[in-house]
Amino acid sequence: MGASLSNTAENGTATGRTGLGDIPESCVACVFMYLTPPEICNLARLNRAFRGASSSDAVWESKLPSNYHHMLDLLPPWRYEGFSKKNIFALLSRPLSFDDDNKEVWLDRVSGRICMSISSKAMSITSSEDRRHWNWFATDESRFQIVAYCQQVWWFEVSGTVKFPFPPDVYTLTFRIHIGKFLKRLGRRVSNFEHTHGWDLGPVRYELSTSDGQCVVSECRLHDIEQDDAKGTIKRGCWIEYKVGEFIVSRSNPVTEVRFSMKQIDCTHSKGGLCLDSVSIIPSNLKRRRTG
């Protein structure tokens, strides 16, 4: 079927029949406005008109967020000088680091919507300077190649903030955490729960607020979120994406400041054995895809 479609696309005029190759490039470009970037790239292989339309600046301008130039500001001008809008989209769909490489922002390759990830290194962690309580270890399971490990604390508090001109959308903020520590032994991933304790004795409080007054507060026991509600299977030893809440951006100016925290400050008992990787901010109805 693919070969037949290709022949029709290229040879319609030569055989006296009307084919896809007879559609004006400007008309193809108008259709491409309603397609996703992967669909456009697939159709670009059909014929010359489709290939030309797939490189149209007007088409790719429609796929970029209205304030994409703020993302370009994170890069030196020589990185994108002379780029077409298609090449700019490709550039911005790869993670761009900022804030000492502790935060990343990128465009989703299908929808063109903005996503962000914030490393635990960019967060304020109570007692993180004391290696008896917290330490850091390198791992390829984190997009930032490093995670924070809480060994034992009485006062658990992690907080952070980010300022960015998010385009209008509804966003979800999540913490990426792991109960217990993990390592590789003889080429196999092994989880260690030696220091895991105290999380079942009281709830962790999550907070999310924005500069325009939105606020979300939720509580849960980390012991409970190890249980997969849908299937009843145990998630222990796996990374958990805990949804804190949603916030709405109605316009990208001024810059939106997002503040978030995770705390368990009941000092009647200690707690420990928890890995903290990052916080993610992505459009709420966007399917999570791996990037980078």
Side-chain angles (χ1 to χ4, degrees):
M1 180 177 177
S4 175
L5 182 58
S6 179
N7 290 337
T8 302
E10 294 286 1
N11 303 324
T13 302
T15 60
R17 299 191 304 270
T18 301
L20 292 176
D22 298 306
I23 302 176
E25 186 176 307
S26 59
C27 293
V28 177
C30 288
V31 173
F32 281 179
M33 297 280 194
Y34 299 94
L35 302 182
T36 66
E39 290 170 339
I40 293 170
C41 293
N42 285 333
L43 289 173
R45 297 177 291 182
L46 282 178
N47 59 41
R48 187 176 302 170
F50 278 59
R51 192 158 48 249
S54 72
S55 299
S56 165
D57 272 354
V59 168
W60 290 96
E61 182 92 40
S62 70
K63 308 305 171 188
L64 290 164
S66 58
N67 60 344
Y68 71 91
H69 56 279
H70 288 295
M71 295 179 69
L72 290 177
D73 289 342
L74 300 174
L75 297 168
W78 62 264
R79 287 281 304 276
Y80 55 86
E81 189 173 0
F83 271 24
S84 66
K85 292 297 191 294
K86 179 179 180 180
N87 288 336
I88 287 177
F89 184 94
L91 176 67
L92 299 184
S93 64
R94 294 189 288 268
L96 305 179
S97 299
F98 64 105
D99 248 6
D100 298 323
D101 295 334
N102 291 323
K103 297 173 184 175
E104 290 183 347
V105 64
W106 66 94
L107 296 183
D108 176 68
R109 292 172 181 168
V110 175
S111 66
R113 296 157 78 188
I114 283 184
C115 306
M116 182 178 290
S117 189
I118 303 164
S119 169
S120 52
K121 292 289 281 186
M123 302 178 202
S124 173
I125 303 177
T126 302
S127 301
S128 62
E129 71 285 351
D130 191 332
R131 292 181 62 85
R132 294 173 301 174
H133 302 309
W134 286 87
N135 53 63
W136 305 85
F137 68 93
T139 172
D140 58 7
E141 293 190 18
S142 167
R143 67 185 306 119
F144 297 100
Q145 304 299 308
I146 191 168
V147 300
Y149 179 65
C150 173
Q151 186 156 297
Q152 183 179 31
V153 295
W154 292 83
W155 185 291
F156 177 88
E157 184 170 8
V158 176
S159 62
T161 183
V162 63
K163 295 180 180 180
F164 195 80
F166 292 97
D169 212 327
V170 180
Y171 296 89
T172 292
L173 186 144
T174 62
F175 273 88
R176 187 170 189 254
I177 58 178
H178 187 289
I179 307 296
K181 196 173 184 179
F182 56 90
L183 63 151
K184 285 190 176 179
R185 184 177 298 159
L186 300 176
R188 297 183 60 187
R189 186 184 190 277
V190 179
S191 295
N192 185 334
F193 304 104
E194 177 184 359
H195 300 118
T196 303
H197 69 285
W199 303 111
D200 57 331
L201 300 178
V204 173
R205 181 182 177 91
Y206 296 89
E207 295 183 9
L208 159 65
S209 63
T210 64
S211 49
D212 62 355
Q214 299 177 68
C215 184
V216 178
V217 178
S218 62
E219 289 188 350
C220 83
R221 296 174 185 265
L222 295 187
H223 178 76
D224 294 336
I225 63 174
E226 290 185 282
Q227 193 83 16
D228 186 335
D229 293 333
K231 299 179 181 178
T233 55
I234 300 297
K235 286 184 176 179
R236 191 170 232 217
C238 300
W239 284 102
I240 300 167
E241 301 275 355
Y242 180 78
K243 176 181 175 180
V244 178
E246 296 181 340
F247 64 94
I248 300 171
V249 176
S250 54
R251 54 193 180 95
S252 55
N253 285 314
V255 169
T256 300
E257 180 179 4
V258 182
R259 298 173 292 272
F260 51 87
S261 65
M262 173 183 179
K263 57 184 79 170
Q264 215 284 23
I265 54 178
D266 179 358
C267 293
T268 60
H269 64 276
S270 67
K271 64 283 293 180
L274 173 76
C275 292
L276 172 63
D277 174 28
S278 59
V279 160
S280 295
I281 299 175
I282 66 170
S284 294
N285 61 352
L286 185 68
K287 181 179 179 182
R288 187 177 294 272
R289 281 178 281 272
R290 182 175 176 80
T291 61

